[in-house]
Amino acid sequence: MSFPQAESVIRRIIREIARECAGKGETVSETLVAFMVKAIVLDPRNHFNVDRILTKQDVQELIELCVNKLMKQGSPALDTIKMQVFFDLNYTSRREFLEEHHRVLLSRLASIGREITDSRLRTRDDLEDLYRRIVSFVVLRSGLGSATDINTVREATAALQSVFPQSELATFITLTKGDKEQQLNELTMIVTGIRLFNKECRKGGEGIDDLPSILNEAIPAFTGEIEKELKQTQGSAWKYTALLENVALGKAGTTQGLIETSMLKQALYNLRQHEALLKVILADAILCAKQVEGLQSDFTNRLSLLKATVHTKTAVPTIQVFPHFTVLSKLWAGFQDEMVLLSILNNMVISLRPFLTAQNNMLPQDQLDAMLDGADVKSDDDRLRESTEDKINLSEYKSQEWFLHETTANFDQLPLQYKGVCGYTLIEKDGLLLPGNPQIGVLKHKEKYYAFASKEAACGFASNPDEYIEAVIEKAKRCPELIQLLELHQQFACVTPYSQMQSGERLLVKPISKCDSSTQTDTHLVETNIVKSYEWNEWELRRKAMQLANIRSKVTHSVQTNLSHMRRSNVTQTYRPKDVGCQTKKDGESNVPKPMVYLAGLRGQKPGPTTVNLTRSVDE
């Protein structure tokens, strides 16, 4: 049978199970049905041979078992599986949550964005209509107020006109579609920053909620609610643990005849799974609080910097203020993201509560307290404190590798198997879940780490770890909710889910264990640490050493050639001439009379011109 045919058969089985459940009034998802099919096939009590070709009778029996399992009422195990499937389908990382939110937001604005980028102006009315659409897009994209509120629209229009007047629409129309979209996003951020700044200055901010104050009130209230619900779940789990310990010790009391021990275990698994999921959500809520604290500090500092830049000036260059407005917009978008995340996490907490219904109805709290009959109910912290001082003696296990807190760096970050649950107690006490105490000692076996609830449990597990590991896998086959609760996915990696099956003749197949792979190793992780003169060859180092020794015993010579002449920078130091003077005892000087010779008789007198010498005598 080809792969498309096999896939068609698998989907037909899943759809048939879902249709029969719907006919009986129970709506189930295909993911839940696929998980249940896998769980039923893995359970050895159902006698399905994964290496045998399925017959029509096998398929019919599988469908019937799945429908009965899914339609079972009052089953904490079924509620636990539903809880796991729901959480896997609806929970993801912060980044993926925000990416999905932004994708949905952009898809809602896609139509008005296309109207703006694809518009063609013909009349003045078209120009005004386009500008109104841009204002609506800016308001909707920023999430500050309603696009139908006249005051919000007026404020957004005034802010937009200050950076993008209608006279620039003609230029906007000539841009390409990509440039138009980019300019719309830039205008949105600038206008958002202007409105936020006006709100801070009490000159606007119509329809803008005070998100920082709202988050400062909502996050503590939300985390307090989760912690309260987590405390209730943990308290119930501790009571079920104490009750199961009494049953194991033969101190059942009034338990016998009222409820089966297997149902008590199912209730315990249900509570432990709910506890684990609440811790995940609580960690996200705490991270939200840290993000809001950082955003609030940056937002306040940016507003102060912007006020100092503007400072009652009538005109400020756009290159100075626009970056501040853009940063304000991005910080406010961070507040909006945290609001969305908080809402999603709150919905997750509410959605998990119905999966505790079967457990709550099976054994109410007052009846559970009566069955305990004054037994000592220990919390997880109490159990850890009792066993902390009883540590493993490393000298007794020289053939095995143990880690202790005192001698191991990053001890708290060791990836413990079974989510820290003691595997020895799970087997020896027939499914009881007790938290392991790493302070006793962590066993490393086949590159995996195991923690234990007591020193006796650690010694017992270390005596034959492979046997206990296999026993845990067999226990998970009978209780499929343990696969997700204890994170046993790697142990069941040899079994592929329905969506990845490669054969239509066998229900479960083993995946290909060989594949081509490659790795890339960087030569130098830090470029600044590269030593250019480094040599790994010792003969090259020896050659350089001999060369250096020869140079030190030689005299350096220099030669001036025609090619190098006048190509070297020369500098000459000169001294300016000094002013020199001489002093004598007597100053002497001489003066010769100036000659004064005139001509007379130049006007025609007789006897003619004569020379008249009026020069003074030297002796005078």
Side-chain angles (χ1 to χ4, degrees):
M1 184 181 296
S2 63
F3 175 74
Q5 292 175 331
E7 188 177 22
S8 176
V9 171
I10 296 166
R11 292 187 178 278
R12 183 179 62 81
I13 294 174
I14 294 176
R15 285 196 296 268
E16 180 65 24
I17 296 173
R19 184 167 55 252
E20 290 194 19
C21 292
K24 296 182 179 181
E26 184 72 21
T27 302
V28 294
S29 64
E30 291 189 359
T31 305
L32 177 61
V33 174
F35 182 86
M36 190 59 67
V37 170
K38 180 178 178 180
I40 289 176
V41 173
L42 287 174
D43 194 342
R45 294 172 296 186
N46 296 325
H47 306 290
F48 279 100
N49 187 357
V50 296
D51 294 326
R52 179 172 56 86
I53 299 176
L54 287 176
T55 63
K56 291 184 178 181
Q57 183 179 357
D58 293 333
V59 173
Q60 189 60 37
E61 182 181 357
L62 176 62
I63 293 175
E64 184 178 352
L65 288 173
C66 287
V67 172
N68 293 336
K69 193 81 172 179
L70 292 170
M71 294 301 299
K72 189 175 182 179
Q73 300 295 326
S75 173
L78 180 59
D79 277 357
T80 303
I81 294 174
K82 289 181 178 180
M83 185 193 307
Q84 295 168 349
V85 172
F86 169 81
F87 197 78
D88 285 343
L89 291 177
N90 293 275
Y91 178 83
T92 183
S93 62
R94 282 174 53 93
R95 179 180 60 82
E96 292 177 344
F97 270 137
L98 293 179
E99 287 179 354
E100 178 64 18
H101 169 67
H102 294 160
R103 187 191 64 79
V104 172
L105 180 61
L106 291 177
S107 64
R108 294 175 180 174
L109 297 175
S111 60
I112 186 173
R114 284 193 299 269
E115 291 177 357
I116 295 174
T117 56
D118 299 342
S119 61
R120 295 292 181 269
L121 299 181
R122 295 182 178 85
T123 63
R124 186 175 182 83
D125 293 338
D126 294 340
L127 190 71
E128 295 178 354
D129 182 64
L130 176 61
Y131 201 81
R132 284 195 296 268
R133 289 181 182 180
I134 294 177
V135 172
S136 299
F137 178 86
V138 169
V139 174
L140 294 174
R141 183 70 179 87
S142 64
L144 303 182
S146 173
T148 59
D149 186 1
I150 186 62
N151 294 326
T152 301
V153 172
R154 286 176 178 174
E155 182 181 345
T157 303
L160 182 62
Q161 286 178 346
S162 64
V163 297
F164 184 74
Q166 291 188 10
S167 58
E168 295 189 11
L169 280 178
T171 306
F172 177 80
I173 292 299
T174 61
L175 299 176
T176 63
K177 185 174 182 180
D179 293 339
K180 289 179 182 178
E181 293 175 350
Q182 181 180 357
Q183 187 167 357
L184 281 176
N185 292 331
E186 293 175 355
L187 289 174
T188 299
M189 288 189 291
I190 295 173
V191 171
T192 301
I194 293 174
R195 294 187 62 196
L196 292 172
F197 181 69
N198 291 339
K199 180 179 183 297
E200 180 67 18
C201 298
R202 303 182 184 277
K203 295 180 180 179
E206 185 71 25
I208 302 178
D209 296 327
D210 191 0
L211 293 187
S213 300
I214 295 174
L215 287 169
N216 288 335
E217 296 178 1
I219 291 179
F222 178 61
T223 53
E225 181 181 353
I226 297 179
E227 290 173 351
K228 180 180 178 181
E229 189 167 348
L230 179 61
K231 186 176 181 180
Q232 294 176 352
T233 299
Q234 289 176 331
S236 299
W238 297 337
K239 292 179 181 180
Y240 275 105
T241 302
L243 187 59
L244 286 170
E245 284 181 323
N246 290 342
V247 172
L249 296 174
K251 302 178 182 179
T254 58
T255 304
Q256 296 291 344
L258 291 179
I259 191 169
E260 297 179 1
T261 305
S262 61
M263 297 297 291
L264 295 177
K265 296 174 187 174
Q266 292 181 18
L268 176 61
Y269 300 160
N270 182 262
L271 290 167
R272 286 297 188 182
Q273 184 63 73
H274 187 245
E275 174 192 358
L277 301 184
L278 285 181
K279 288 182 177 179
V280 173
I281 298 176
L282 180 60
D284 286 343
I286 294 174
L287 183 57
C288 281
K290 295 180 180 179
Q291 292 289 334
V292 169
E293 183 179 358
L295 288 171
Q296 195 164 2
S297 176
D298 294 342
F299 189 77
T300 303
N301 294 336
R302 183 61 61 171
L303 282 174
S304 301
L305 187 60
L306 186 56
K307 288 180 179 178
T309 303
V310 177
H311 190 62
T312 68
K313 296 179 181 178
T314 56
V316 183
T318 58
I319 195 173
Q320 296 183 11
V321 293
F322 278 11
H324 294 299
F325 291 144
T326 302
V327 173
L328 282 180
S329 175
K330 292 179 179 179
L331 292 174
W332 194 262
F335 286 122
Q336 293 173 331
D337 290 342
E338 298 304 323
M339 286 290 296
V340 172
L341 285 172
L342 202 63
S343 176
I344 293 174
L345 295 177
N346 184 52
N347 293 335
M348 291 288 293
V349 172
I350 296 174
S351 300
L352 290 177
R353 292 169 184 167
F355 300 114
L356 301 174
T357 304
Q359 175 267 135
N360 290 331
N361 295 337
M362 182 189 73
L363 199 60
Q365 286 295 323
D366 53 352
Q367 189 175 354
L368 178 60
D369 294 336
M371 293 174 66
L372 287 171
D373 193 19
D376 185 18
V377 178
K378 299 179 182 179
S379 66
D380 292 343
D381 293 336
D382 294 338
R383 296 179 185 275
L384 295 179
R385 282 193 294 267
E386 290 177 358
S387 58
T388 297
E389 300 300 329
D390 199 9
K391 299 183 179 180
I392 285 292
N393 187 0
L394 299 182
S395 60
E396 299 178 359
Y397 299 93
K398 295 182 179 180
S399 60
Q400 294 175 323
E401 191 173 3
W402 289 84
F403 294 93
L404 296 178
H405 183 271
E406 296 81 5
T407 59
T408 306
N410 300 324
F411 182 78
D412 297 333
Q413 299 179 10
L414 289 176
L416 300 177
Q417 293 294 303
Y418 312 139
K419 292 190 71 173
V421 172
C422 179
Y424 178 86
T425 305
L426 179 67
I427 301 306
E428 294 298 330
K429 294 191 178 181
D430 194 19
L432 179 63
L433 297 182
L434 288 183
N437 187 359
Q439 301 295 331
I440 297 174
V442 175
L443 173 64
K444 182 180 180 182
H445 179 71
K446 294 182 179 180
E447 303 303 323
K448 292 181 174 61
Y449 302 90
Y450 301 87
F452 309 97
S454 63
K455 182 179 180 180
E456 292 76 15
C459 296
F461 189 93
S463 62
N464 196 348
D466 291 329
E467 179 181 344
Y468 282 101
I469 293 172
E470 185 63 28
V472 171
I473 295 175
E474 293 299 322
K475 175 66 70 174
K477 289 180 180 179
R478 288 173 167 79
C479 301
E481 63 268 30
L482 290 178
I483 297 176
Q484 178 77 8
L485 179 58
L486 303 183
E487 295 183 349
L488 299 175
H489 308 94
Q490 292 183 353
Q491 284 79 350
F492 290 92
C494 60
V495 180
T496 59
Y498 279 83
S499 59
Q500 302 176 11
M501 288 178 62
Q502 302 293 326
S503 172
E505 297 183 351
R506 295 181 180 178
L507 187 64
L508 301 172
V509 296
K510 295 184 178 180
I512 299 174
S513 58
K514 295 182 180 180
C515 63
D516 295 332
S517 62
S518 61
T519 58
Q520 178 78 21
T521 303
D522 293 334
T523 305
H524 296 285
L525 298 178
V526 183
E527 293 294 334
T528 56
N529 288 344
I530 296 178
V531 181
K532 301 297 183 180
S533 60
Y534 172 76
E535 285 289 348
W536 63 270
N537 192 336
E538 60 178 328
W539 293 102
E540 180 65 19
L541 293 174
R542 181 176 298 181
R543 187 188 67 80
K544 288 184 176 181
M546 294 175 65
Q547 185 183 24
L548 185 60
N550 290 334
I551 291 175
R552 288 180 177 177
S553 63
K554 305 299 180 183
V555 178
T556 304
H557 297 274
S558 63
V559 178
Q560 184 75 27
T561 66
N562 292 331
L563 294 178
S564 65
H565 179 58
M566 294 298 293
R567 295 193 179 188
R568 185 181 60 172
S569 299
N570 294 325
V571 179
T572 303
Q573 179 71 38
T574 62
Y575 296 90
R576 299 181 63 183
K578 297 180 179 179
D579 294 333
V580 179
C582 176
Q583 181 71 32
T584 61
K585 292 183 178 181
K586 182 180 178 180
D587 294 335
E589 60 182 11
S590 62
N591 193 10
V592 178
K594 185 176 180 181
M596 299 177 65
V597 179
Y598 298 93
L599 292 177
L602 296 177
R603 295 185 179 180
Q605 292 92 345
K606 295 181 179 179
T610 59
T611 302
V612 180
N613 187 0
L614 296 180
T615 304
R616 297 175 60 185
S617 174
V618 177
D619 298 334
E620 289 184 3

